[in-house]
Amino acid sequence: MFRFIVGRLLGAVVVLFFVSVVTFLIFQIAPLLSHTSPVYFYTGKVPFAAGSPALKALIHQYGFDLPVPVQYWQYVSGIFTGRTISDGTTVIHCTFPCLGYSFRQNELVSSLLTEAAPVSISLCVGAAVLWLVGGVLVGTVSALRPGSIVDRAGMGLSLGAVSLPIFFTGPLLLLVFEYQLGWINENYVPITQDPLGWLGSMILPWFALAFLFAALYARLTRSNMLETLGEDYMRTARAKGLDRRTVIVKHGLRAALTPIVTIFGIDFGTLIGSTVITETVFNLRGLGYLSITAISQQDLPIILGVTLVAAVALVVANVLVDITYAFIDPRVAL
Amino acid sequence: MTDTQAPPVRTPESNDEALLRVEDLRVHFPTGDGLVKSVDGLSFSLRRGEILGIVGESGSGKSVTSQAILGLHKGSKARVSGSIWFEGTDLVAASEHEMRAFRGDQMAMIFQDPLSAMHPFFKIGDQIAEAYLVHNKVSKRDARQRTIEMLQKVGIPNAAGRYDDYPHQLSGGMRQRAMIAMALICRPKLLIADEPTTALDVTVQAQILELIKDLRDELDSAVILITHDLGVVAETCDQVVVMYGGQAVEQGSVAELFAQPEMPYTWGLLASMPRMDRVRSTRLMPIPGSPPSLINVPNGCVFNPRCRFSDRVPGRKCFTEHPELSPTTGSASPLAVHEVRCHIPAEERQQILLTEIRPTL
């Protein structure tokens, strides 16, 4: 078990290495291809005339005049050891984890991320709980009576839900529950400040996001469960004299949900950095919102930071899936 | 009409002692293509300590019969009629709730492929103990102890260590032994073994059959052994039912049936069985054709499309009239019941057996 986990973690490190190389190439090298000075993308302005010694010094400070491998090393080691960053007038010293400084927002990327990440995590965790519970429930009930009215209604509903984009369901929820009924306060409150306020501010985005995924998971659970119900070991469970609930919940769901763990881990990991639409609709300042703002302002340090964080989230989710799988499926060799 | 047919005549004492009496059992499945008559009018009875073999090709209704006895068709679309008397209870009429008390406790089943019949995610010990815990109010520790004893009894070495193994970690033979332990842990009065040796290699087959016989002796259980192998029946069983197209075409004691087989289908089965104890004079004789559709069952005798002897019957009786299961005349002992479903006149059947069949077996 220990060796398995260590192996998976080492694998994750290798993946992160490649991710960092690719992001580095895109964000450090690609600006060189444009005819704008690369300094522009990092400082938001070109403070000195082209060819002036001051600009050259700035270029040197960012390392754009160095060989590519050395640039990569500076960039990676800078994350851990810290760097000094300036736009020619202001000098910022950032320490670990140094993901750069946004001169447009006048803030360290790391502190922008630590502000935005809890919002995204709140959104994703809450939505995940809702879609897992809802999806598995609807899927299981549908599978138990295939072709029945309950099944048709459940599957029809999920087809509808998959087809409706969040920028339709989101404003609809807002319209009904916030503007018409006035039940819900939109502004995000951190859970540490006011748990109830947090719940109130998150419940609509949770439902909007979960609706989409619940539909997918309901269909997945249904097909897995139908397959499981036809397995010989389900007949064996009945032949032992177990009651229907034990047969379905203990023997059936145990087998039917195992493949869903994989898909869930990947979905969740991907979602952390990419809930742009939900965040925009509900005015949440999460990672998605942060990155979409940065992209529109060509604020490279932030884009770079969000990309790295999203990649780490996905890799961590995958490692967790692998480890969980080893616990729930004894056939996975450790 | 077979619906109104009286139950087969039995000797008085066997009738009283019967643990299981199946009377005119019918299991029909409505499907999009029509009504599948998987079992259509089956009757037999079984006493404690007896082993009954049910023989037939795939799709002859063997497994469906066994699942009907355990009431596993309840809650499905299957239509089950007739009666299955088990110690004074009619299992066909019993509710799912009542059946649950019987299943695993009074009657248990060994399935064909132990790898797919055991849950891949649970330890074999826990799966076996679960069967004990449902029917007995004991602690998990006692159930574990009992399971380990059971694993030892079925011949699994290092039973305590094997308790925590998963099904995929055991060999086929060991898995089948674990399956048997699961079936027998509550000391059932009736054990149904559905092709218990089909997935195993020959040396293990013999061990498993021997194990079932030993446990039968110890628990004095009745056993239904479902197989397509007449050799297994000859070695293991006391009674035999030959099924074809959802019906019994010949049934009786094993000694009787093997000494004096009377139904052309049984002859076919015997002729297609490899014999190691004789010099092989001719090739094995397969039965031509394939089992009948259970939706469009042939008119007359179900076996008529594949029967070599239907021209020996006057008129076209084999194709127009459904033969009844009736006692044979040539029974060696008056107590042994031997019944056959065939239009060929009794004397002629014996003549055919003597002159045409016997020399080729």
Side-chain angles (χ1 to χ4, degrees):
Chain A
M1 181 49 108
F2 181 72
R3 280 188 58 192
F4 173 81
I5 293 172
V6 169
R8 281 291 184 277
L9 288 177
L10 285 178
V13 169
V14 172
V15 171
L16 284 178
F17 168 74
F18 282 108
V19 168
S20 70
V21 168
V22 171
T23 40
F24 166 78
L25 286 178
I26 292 170
F27 294 115
Q28 196 90 345
I29 303 300
L32 297 178
L33 301 176
S34 72
H35 294 291
T36 325
S37 165
V39 171
Y40 169 77
F41 296 104
Y42 283 85
T43 61
K45 58 189 173 182
V46 183
F48 306 107
S52 69
L55 185 61
K56 273 192 180 149
L58 213 51
I59 285 174
H60 179 71
Q61 190 210 326
Y62 279 99
F64 292 124
D65 56 345
L66 297 170
V68 173
V70 179
Q71 283 190 44
Y72 174 74
W73 173 247
Q74 274 198 354
Y75 153 77
V76 172
S77 62
I79 294 175
F80 298 99
T81 59
R83 274 188 306 174
T84 304
I85 298 160
S86 102
D87 64 344
T89 46
T90 324
V91 178
I92 304 292
H93 188 74
C94 84
T95 50
F96 172 82
C98 176
L99 294 167
Y101 185 83
S102 165
F103 285 101
R104 283 199 178 84
Q105 304 211 11
N106 281 323
E107 212 160 345
L108 282 168
V109 172
S110 51
S111 48
L112 283 170
L113 287 174
T114 43
E115 264 171 52
V119 181
S120 287
I121 292 169
S122 296
L123 176 62
C124 293
V125 170
V129 169
L130 282 181
W131 91 55
L132 275 180
V133 172
V136 167
L137 210 70
V138 171
T140 307
V141 171
S142 292
L144 292 182
R145 302 201 177 282
S148 69
I149 293 178
V150 181
D151 179 30
R152 280 160 205 232
M155 288 306 109
L157 200 72
S158 42
L159 185 67
V162 171
S163 323
L164 295 177
I166 292 178
F167 48 77
F168 175 77
T169 51
L172 197 69
L173 286 174
L174 279 177
L175 179 73
V176 174
F177 292 100
E178 191 177 343
Y179 304 133
Q180 295 290 321
L181 299 170
W183 288 355
I184 278 151
N185 173 26
E186 194 188 335
N187 294 322
Y188 175 77
V189 190
I191 187 171
T192 44
Q193 245 177 49
D194 174 9
L196 270 181
W198 173 76
L199 206 68
S201 66
M202 294 308 291
I203 196 113
L204 287 187
W206 282 346
F207 270 100
L209 188 57
F211 203 41
L212 193 68
F213 281 90
L216 238 66
Y217 280 70
R219 294 190 152 253
L220 231 110
T221 307
R222 181 181 183 271
S223 67
N224 281 347
M225 192 67 188
L226 273 177
E227 200 181 306
T228 305
L229 288 175
E231 293 283 356
D232 287 354
Y233 55 76
M234 295 296 282
R235 195 180 53 194
T236 310
R238 279 187 77 201
K240 281 187 210 175
L242 299 176
D243 61 89
R244 187 174 156 82
R245 212 193 56 190
T246 313
V247 172
I248 287 161
V249 176
K250 185 177 169 192
H251 291 249
L253 276 183
R254 179 71 168 74
L257 292 188
T258 305
I260 290 182
V261 170
T262 316
I263 296 155
F264 173 73
I266 293 164
D267 276 349
F268 187 79
T270 315
L271 204 59
I272 287 285
S274 59
T275 50
V276 181
I277 299 171
T278 317
E279 288 175 25
T280 311
V281 167
F282 292 98
N283 194 27
L284 293 166
R285 304 296 166 100
L287 291 172
Y289 182 85
L290 187 65
S291 59
I292 206 80
T293 325
I295 289 167
S296 63
Q297 295 178 350
Q298 297 188 313
D299 198 352
L300 265 195
I302 296 179
I303 303 174
L304 213 147
V306 174
T307 308
L308 272 184
V309 167
V312 170
L314 185 55
V315 169
V316 167
N318 269 305
V319 171
L320 286 179
V321 164
D322 281 348
I323 293 172
T324 316
Y325 221 92
F327 278 107
I328 58 179
D329 188 345
R331 289 169 301 181
V332 173
L334 298 186
Chain B
M1 287 293 288
T2 43
D3 285 311
T4 53
Q5 186 190 352
V9 185
R10 306 278 174 201
T11 55
E13 64 266 57
S14 75
N15 218 351
D16 291 341
E17 283 173 35
L19 173 74
L20 180 78
R21 212 167 67 242
V22 174
E23 286 168 5
D24 196 30
L25 178 68
R26 281 156 210 271
V27 185
H28 294 178
F29 296 91
T31 67
D33 298 325
L35 193 65
V36 177
K37 297 175 177 174
S38 291
V39 179
D40 208 26
L42 182 68
S43 303
F44 62 83
S45 75
L46 185 61
R47 284 174 290 182
R48 289 200 79 153
E50 249 180 7
I51 302 185
L52 170 84
I54 301 183
V55 200
E57 290 164 288
S58 316
S60 60
K62 301 168 295 184
S63 294
V64 173
T65 303
S66 65
Q67 287 169 30
I69 295 171
L70 275 186
L72 293 177
H73 297 304
K74 290 182 200 295
S76 78
K77 288 187 177 123
R79 294 180 199 151
V80 184
S81 66
S83 44
I84 301 171
W85 291 99
F86 180 81
E87 292 204 311
T89 311
D90 182 7
L91 304 181
V92 172
S95 69
E96 169 74 14
H97 184 75
E98 289 170 281
M99 277 316 295
R100 238 170 34 220
F102 283 113
R103 281 187 209 134
D105 191 35
Q106 304 282 309
M107 48 179 74
M109 192 149 168
I110 302 169
F111 292 98
Q112 181 171 359
D113 177 4
L115 184 60
S116 60
M118 294 188 103
H119 203 294
F121 296 160
F122 297 125
K123 293 169 180 172
I124 57 149
D126 288 343
Q127 296 193 47
I128 297 168
E130 190 180 33
Y132 192 60
L133 282 164
V134 201
H135 299 291
N136 298 278
K137 284 197 165 67
V138 293
S139 69
K140 286 201 168 164
R141 235 177 104 156
D142 290 347
R144 187 187 172 98
Q145 196 47 47
R146 168 96 181 138
T147 302
I148 292 172
E149 281 165 25
M150 215 53 220
L151 287 172
Q152 279 164 347
K153 195 175 278 181
V154 296
I156 291 182
N158 181 22
R162 285 299 191 183
Y163 185 100
D164 294 311
D165 277 358
Y166 290 94
H168 71 276
Q169 292 169 313
L170 268 62
S171 68
M174 286 299 144
R175 269 198 294 269
Q176 192 56 286
R177 283 168 196 269
M179 191 86 221
I180 293 173
M182 185 194 289
L184 294 179
I185 194 160
C186 293
R187 307 175 72 91
K189 292 173 185 159
L190 173 66
L191 176 68
I192 302 171
D194 187 356
E195 307 210 21
T197 57
T198 309
L200 305 175
D201 60 61
V202 189
T203 48
V204 183
Q205 277 186 20
Q207 293 171 9
I208 294 290
L209 289 173
E210 207 49 48
L211 179 65
I212 291 176
K213 274 204 274 189
D214 289 348
L215 293 167
R216 182 271 317 253
D217 292 342
E218 195 192 318
L219 302 176
D220 194 31
S221 308
V223 179
I224 296 178
L225 184 68
I226 293 167
T227 178
H228 55 253
D229 187 345
L230 273 178
V232 168
V233 172
E235 273 171 44
T236 321
C237 301
D238 307 306
Q239 302 284 328
V240 59
V241 176
V242 179
M243 281 190 80
Y244 185 81
Q247 302 170 359
V249 291
E250 183 162 11
Q251 64 189 64
S253 74
V254 166
E256 268 284 323
L257 194 127
F258 279 83
Q260 188 76 17
E262 299 223 356
M263 167 76 197
Y265 178 62
T266 316
W267 295 338
L269 284 181
L270 287 166
S272 59
M273 191 174 84
R275 293 287 294 255
M276 295 303 287
D277 57 341
R278 307 229 182 111
V279 178
R280 199 172 65 184
S281 51
T282 48
R283 293 171 62 90
L284 288 176
M285 293 275 291
I287 305 172
S290 53
S293 151
L294 296 172
I295 296 175
N296 294 311
V297 182
N299 283 330
C301 172
V302 266
F303 188 58
N304 71 46
R306 300 170 76 184
C307 186
R308 287 195 286 144
F309 303 100
S310 48
D311 55 348
R312 310 282 177 98
V313 178
R316 291 181 49 80
K317 216 173 158 190
C318 289
F319 300 92
T320 53
E321 197 180 313
H322 184 240
E324 297 298 334
L325 200 58
S326 41
T328 58
T329 51
S331 288
S333 136
L335 281 176
V337 177
H338 181 188
E339 292 163 310
V340 67
R341 198 188 285 276
C342 187
H343 281 312
I344 305 173
E347 308 78 51
E348 184 145 10
R349 274 200 307 255
Q350 278 152 32
Q351 196 58 38
I352 295 171
L353 174 67
L354 212 63
T355 56
E356 295 176 48
I357 306 298
R358 193 64 82 194
T360 65
L361 290 182

